[in-house]
């Protein structure tokens, strides 16, 4: 699929923001006062900034609020409900910590659960799509959740936890790539099933269905070369996992901690670009692009 910048920004920033909110919510001794304000300000800037960026991919951003009304059937709607609930509850939790020095633990735990729920519902927007075999796997929500938890631990200064979660997330990422490379072939989808003519014999494309690119081709058919994809995977893996782990294993300094965070964010953004660029939507079969 076409990797729209707004969607990449959304999935990168919101995952990190809600991951940080999760750790702040379950912290038995959360930061208060000025430090509490700084941590929550960073978390809200990431989470809200990511959510707002997602609206720029809509044809009518002013109607985005309507997506929340279909929560019974839509993962997008469930994402919106979870996000708003998490931000509101954790807003009260944060205000009590910052201005009153009061820790309302049960609000923190509810907000933390809703934060993870937001990341999970985001992942299921993609993970439930049978039209993209690479995405339709339990590894997709696992990928989103481990990235969010690892990034949140990194941002909140939990070095030992971040190291363990980065290693786990790296394993999930490798498994997701390995499984994804075979997903379209193993799905049994081909030009015959794409056109509905497979029962009549082998279907071959004699000419493209359209003489010029149409909406479907622009939005759902994006081809990234294998050679370039592997190079980008290496860059994404190094930035997301290897460099942050190297910085975290060095003697602690604020400079190394900042470099670990910056490297991780850049790596997650690169990984998210590949997530969409390598999607292999089955509509590409109809247009002879797979």
């Amino acid at each position: 699929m076409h990797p729209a910048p707004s969607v990449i920004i959304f999935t990168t920033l919101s995952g990190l923001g809600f991951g940080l909110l999760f750790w702040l919510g379950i912290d038995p001794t959360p930061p208060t006062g000025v430090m509490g304000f700084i941590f929550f300000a960073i978390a809200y800037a990431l989470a809200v900034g990511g959510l707002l960026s997602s609206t720029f991919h809509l044809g009518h951003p002013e109607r985005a609020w309507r997506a929340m009304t279909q929560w019974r059937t839509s993962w997008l709607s469930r994402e919106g409900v979870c996000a708003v609930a998490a931000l509101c509850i954790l807003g009260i939790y944060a205000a009590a910590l910052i201005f009153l020095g009061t820790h309302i633990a049960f609000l923190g735990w509810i907000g933390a659960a809703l934060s993870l729920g937001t990341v999970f519902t985001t992942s299921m927007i993609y993970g439930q799509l049978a039209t993209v075999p690479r995405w339709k796997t339990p590894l997709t929500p696992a990928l989103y959740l481990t990235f969010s938890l690892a990034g949140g631990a990194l941002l909140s200064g939990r070095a030992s936890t971040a190291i363990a979660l980065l290693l786990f997330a790296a394993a999930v990422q490798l498994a997701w790539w390995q499984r994804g490379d075979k997903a379209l072939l193993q799905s049994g989808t081909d030009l015959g099933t794409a056109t509905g003519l497979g029962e009549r014999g082998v279907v071959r494309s004699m000419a493209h269905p359209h003489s010029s690119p149409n909406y479907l081709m622009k939005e759902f058919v994006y081809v990234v070369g294998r050679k370039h994809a592997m190079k980008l995977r290496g860059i994404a893996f190094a930035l997301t996992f290897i460099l942050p782990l190297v910085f975290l294993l060095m003697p602690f300094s604020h400079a190394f901690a900042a470099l670990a965070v910056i490297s991780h964010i850049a790596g997650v953004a690169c990984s998210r670009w590949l997530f969409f660029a390598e999607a292999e939507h089955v509509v590409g079969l109809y247009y002879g692009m797979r």
Side-chain angles (χ1 to χ4, degrees):
M1 296 178 70
H2 195 278
S6 59
V7 179
I8 295 168
I9 294 171
F10 157 57
T11 55
T12 300
L13 297 187
S14 65
L16 289 167
F18 283 108
L20 177 54
L21 286 172
F22 168 81
W23 290 109
L24 292 172
I26 67 168
D27 195 338
T29 56
T32 59
V34 175
M35 286 305 299
F37 176 81
I38 292 172
F39 274 107
F40 278 102
I42 293 171
Y44 270 77
L46 291 170
V48 176
L51 291 171
L52 288 176
S53 71
S54 68
T55 64
F56 292 107
H57 192 59
L58 301 175
H60 294 278
E62 73 279 2
R63 301 176 187 173
W65 65 272
R66 295 183 180 178
M68 297 177 61
T69 63
Q70 308 300 316
W71 58 269
R72 292 182 181 86
T73 56
S74 168
W75 283 106
L76 178 63
S77 183
R78 292 165 188 161
E79 175 199 43
V81 171
C82 282
V84 171
L87 293 172
C88 289
I89 290 173
L90 286 171
I92 299 172
Y93 173 76
L97 285 171
I98 295 167
F99 300 110
L100 303 177
T102 303
H103 180 207
I104 309 175
F106 79 93
L107 282 183
W109 280 92
I110 294 172
L114 287 168
S115 294
L116 281 191
T118 302
V119 177
F120 176 75
T121 51
T122 299
S123 72
M124 286 305 296
I125 294 172
Y126 311 109
Q128 51 92 30
L129 292 176
T131 51
V132 184
R134 186 183 291 268
W135 292 350
K136 191 172 174 55
T137 169
L139 285 173
T140 295
L143 187 72
Y144 272 69
L145 287 168
T146 53
F147 269 47
S148 179
L149 290 171
L154 193 59
L155 285 168
S156 63
R158 291 168 169 79
S160 58
T161 302
I163 290 172
L165 286 170
L166 283 170
L167 290 171
F168 186 62
V172 174
Q173 176 70 93
L174 291 173
W176 193 87
W177 276 333
Q178 183 181 36
R179 181 255 171 210
D181 288 340
K182 300 175 289 186
L184 182 61
L185 180 62
Q186 292 178 346
S187 70
T189 303
D190 55 24
L191 191 56
T193 61
T195 59
L197 300 173
E199 295 180 356
R200 301 187 179 188
V202 178
V203 179
R204 292 182 295 115
S205 177
M206 303 298 292
H208 287 295
H210 293 269
S211 59
S212 61
N214 60 10
Y215 174 80
L216 290 177
M217 293 178 71
K218 291 177 181 177
E219 286 293 315
F220 299 112
V221 183
Y222 189 89
V223 179
V224 56
R226 175 79 175 167
K227 180 179 178 181
H228 296 298
M230 295 306 293
K231 185 183 296 184
L232 287 171
R233 285 183 186 185
I235 294 171
F237 196 83
L239 290 173
T240 307
F241 307 113
I242 297 176
L243 286 179
L245 285 170
V246 169
F247 289 128
L248 289 174
L249 291 172
M250 289 181 176
F252 176 79
S253 77
H254 291 292
F256 287 151
L259 287 172
V261 170
I262 293 170
S263 175
H264 181 73
I265 293 174
V268 173
C270 186
S271 177
R272 286 289 182 262
W273 187 91
L274 281 168
F275 180 85
F276 293 101
E278 294 186 292
E280 295 178 318
H281 196 292
V282 294
V283 76
L285 293 168
Y286 179 72
Y287 293 99
M289 302 295 288
R290 298 297 176 200

